[in-house]
């Protein structure tokens, strides 16, 4: 089977980590009898330098016509003085919008071998940790009505409206339940239904969707409790589903539990199986071009692409197992080596590909 992947290497360490990830995908193709066809496109600073725009129309077209998008990272000091609308990071918002990416998925995994990097006590994360945070990405307070009021009893004021339509909640809930079916069959929906009307709608619609997934356990947490439980007893979670603003905060909290930014993958999903896959980290200009970047976050993002867009679970398992083997055999990139011996970006990519 052939899969078409639009590849956006981007800026800084983006091209370095993407290149190693392509090596891993090619190895998967070889082993399992698939072909991956790559179309390289420009976005971010690289696109500004080449075309004057951070997201050329051609990039959007090619991404739309592909089966999935793999992105490195965009941005860097070279473009920091540009106005907000013209900065490389704008390309991400543009892509999300153009591709209809309404669900953001971030797994927070702690590998046993890297348990020391977590800020939590060893007994809390013993045996490893694997949580997926599913965040609604295109609705809620970030996109609701907003404005300022020139005068109130307490002086000038401003407001932002949190609004969710039933269909917006239904489609994100489905993503979470489908994901739970491929994982440990538990969904925790996070809201503030004791206070917010929009949360009461959220909770009702999630409960309706749950009826179609009798094998999946559903529990509801208020966001304050969820934030507390994430550091108190994170192992109780499998899939967390929540609104844009709560997800923004909780996914950062969950990822910090893992302690290593170079290891964290993410996916942004659209209707159907289409998705854009990228590491959580940025373009790391401080280490760019020096063979120091950890390619694992991007490699694990490609594993998510195999699992969620292409439906290739066995192949995704093979990539994740290779990463685990790389770590258990004692290999480390500088960011996770704690000052001990380490391998460079290229060597790490080659070793992981060889371990597929
Ligand atoms: P960053 O994630 O790029 O870097 C933060 C720190 O983590 C740096 O010290 C960096 O060296 C280290 N780091 C990050 N990824 C690493 C990896 N794979 N291996 C080893 N070390 C790694 O965040 P920042 O410094 O705040 O941002 C740098 C640029 O990236 C900015 O222009 C920012 O706007 C952009 N950015 C882009 C994205 C994206 O493309 N999705 C996300 C965040 C930031």
């Amino acid at each position: 089977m052939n899969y078409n992947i639009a590849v956006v290497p981007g800026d800084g360490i983006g091209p370095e980590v993407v290149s190693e990830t392509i090596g891993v995908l090619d190895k998967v193709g070889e082993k399992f009898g698939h072909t991956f066809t790559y179309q390289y496109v420009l976005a971010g600073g690289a696109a500004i330098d080449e075309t004057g725009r951070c997201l050329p129309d051609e990039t959007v077209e090619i991404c739309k016509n592909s089966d999935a998008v793999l992105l490195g990272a965009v941005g860097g000091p070279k473009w920091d003085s540009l106005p907000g609308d013209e900065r490389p990071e704008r390309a991400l918002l543009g892509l999300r919008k153009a591709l209809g990416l309404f669900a953001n998925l971030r797994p927070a995994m702690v590998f046993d071998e890297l348990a020391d990097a977590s800020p939590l006590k060893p007994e809390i994360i013993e045996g490893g940790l694997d949580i997926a945070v599913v965040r609604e990405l295109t609705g809620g307070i970030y996109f609701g009505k907003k404005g300022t009021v020139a005068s109130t009893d307490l002086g000038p004021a401003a407001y932002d409206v949190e609004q969710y339509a039933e269909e917006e909640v239904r489609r994100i809930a489905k993503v979470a339940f489908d994901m739970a079916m491929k994982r440990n069959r538990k969904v925790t929906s996070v809201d503030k239904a004791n206070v917010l009307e929009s949360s009461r709608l959220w909770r009702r619609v999630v409960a309706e969707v749950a009826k179609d997934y009798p094998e999946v356990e559903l529990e509801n947490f208020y966001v304050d409790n969820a934030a507390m439980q994430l550091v108190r007893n994170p192992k109780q979670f499998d899939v967390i589903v929540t609104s844009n603003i709560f997800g923004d905060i909780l996914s950062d909290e969950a990822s910090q539990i893992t302690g290593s930014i170079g290891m964290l993958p993410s996916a942004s999903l659209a209707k159907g199986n289409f998705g854009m896959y990228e590491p959580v980290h940025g373009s790391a200009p401080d280490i760019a071009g020096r063979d120091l970047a950890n390619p694992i976050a991007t490699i694990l993002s490609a594993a998510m692409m195999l699992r969620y867009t292409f439906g290739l679970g066995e192949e995704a398992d093979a990539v994740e197992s290779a990463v685990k083997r790389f770590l258990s055999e004692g290999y480390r990139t500088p960011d996770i080596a704690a000052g001990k011996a380490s391998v460079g970006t290229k060597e790490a990519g080659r070793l992981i590909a060889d371990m597929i």
Side-chain angles (χ1 to χ4, degrees), residues 4-304:
N4 293 310
I5 303 174
V7 180
V8 190
D11 310 314
I13 62 169
E16 298 171 58
V17 293
V18 161
S19 162
E20 297 317 313
T21 302
I22 299 290
V24 169
L25 279 173
D26 283 343
K27 192 62 187 281
V28 168
E30 205 181 289
K31 268 257 145 120
F32 291 86
H34 310 296
T35 46
F36 299 108
T37 308
Y38 312 105
Q39 247 187 311
Y40 286 83
V41 288
L42 291 168
I48 294 173
D49 288 353
E50 194 81 16
T51 69
R53 296 169 59 204
C54 67
L55 185 60
D57 294 341
E58 193 198 5
T59 297
V60 174
E61 265 325 290
I62 290 175
C63 288
K64 271 188 181 165
N65 292 322
S66 66
D67 297 319
V69 180
L70 178 69
L71 185 138
V74 295
K78 185 175 173 194
W79 306 279
D80 274 354
S81 54
L82 292 173
D85 267 7
E86 292 167 30
R87 286 177 59 131
E89 294 82 353
R90 267 287 146 152
L92 297 176
L93 289 180
L95 276 172
R96 276 182 197 161
K97 198 163 167 227
L99 302 174
L101 306 171
F102 67 87
N104 184 250
L105 169 65
R106 269 204 210 177
M109 277 177 278
V110 177
F111 291 93
D112 241 0
E113 294 80 4
L114 296 180
D116 282 355
S118 172
L120 297 185
K121 288 187 188 137
E123 59 266 31
I124 294 180
I125 49 162
E126 209 162 37
L129 186 71
D130 184 4
I131 304 170
V133 181
V134 177
R135 165 188 170 194
E136 201 287 327
L137 204 57
T138 54
I141 195 163
Y142 294 168
F143 293 90
K145 200 173 164 210
K146 57 186 83 235
T148 52
V149 183
S151 113
T152 72
D153 289 351
L154 297 171
Y159 61 89
D160 301 271
V161 175
E162 169 87 347
Q163 176 174 321
Y164 269 109
E166 288 189 2
E167 188 48 37
E168 283 176 297
V169 181
R170 197 169 292 121
R171 66 185 186 183
I172 192 82
K174 280 186 187 156
V175 169
F177 280 94
D178 284 341
M179 202 141 282
M181 287 295 289
K182 293 177 188 162
R183 297 171 44 101
N184 294 319
R185 305 198 169 190
K186 183 174 174 189
V187 169
T188 304
S189 174
V190 174
D191 60 39
K192 191 69 184 167
N194 49 344
V195 182
L196 301 177
E197 197 59 47
S198 53
S199 280
R200 286 191 274 275
L201 179 140
W202 178 282
R203 194 175 277 218
R204 175 171 56 74
V205 175
V206 171
E208 282 166 22
V209 173
K211 289 187 191 138
D212 295 333
Y213 298 83
E215 300 100 322
V216 179
E217 179 195 346
L218 167 66
E219 69 181 357
N220 294 288
F221 273 16
Y222 296 136
V223 63
D224 39 349
N225 186 31
M228 188 173 75
Q229 295 296 335
L230 263 173
V231 285
R232 224 176 79 104
N233 178 17
K235 277 199 281 194
Q236 68 183 293
F237 296 111
D238 176 24
V239 177
I240 292 175
V241 63
T242 191
S243 63
N244 204 342
I245 186 167
F246 295 159
D248 191 0
I249 299 162
L250 292 181
S251 62
D252 263 20
E253 186 189 358
S255 63
Q256 282 314 303
I257 294 173
T258 71
S260 38
I261 187 140
M263 305 280 300
L264 296 168
S266 87
S268 298
L269 306 172
K271 225 177 161 164
N273 291 325
F274 186 84
M276 182 164 95
Y277 297 82
E278 57 182 314
V280 164
H281 63 72
S283 60
D286 52 335
I287 57 167
R290 295 164 54 199
D291 198 37
L292 291 174
N294 185 345
I296 292 179
T298 316
I299 290 171
L300 290 175
S301 303
M304 289 172 77

Side-chain angles (χ1 to χ4, degrees), residues 311-352:
L312 302 174
E314 205 186 324
E315 288 81 343
D317 287 345
V319 174
E320 287 165 3
S321 300
V323 169
K324 283 197 187 107
R325 198 174 139 201
F326 171 85
L327 296 171
S328 64
E329 290 191 7
Y331 293 108
R332 299 285 185 271
T333 44
D335 56 314
I336 51 171
K340 301 208 182 86
S342 58
V343 297
T345 312
K346 289 201 179 82
E347 179 73 348
R350 188 189 61 76
L351 283 163
I352 293 169

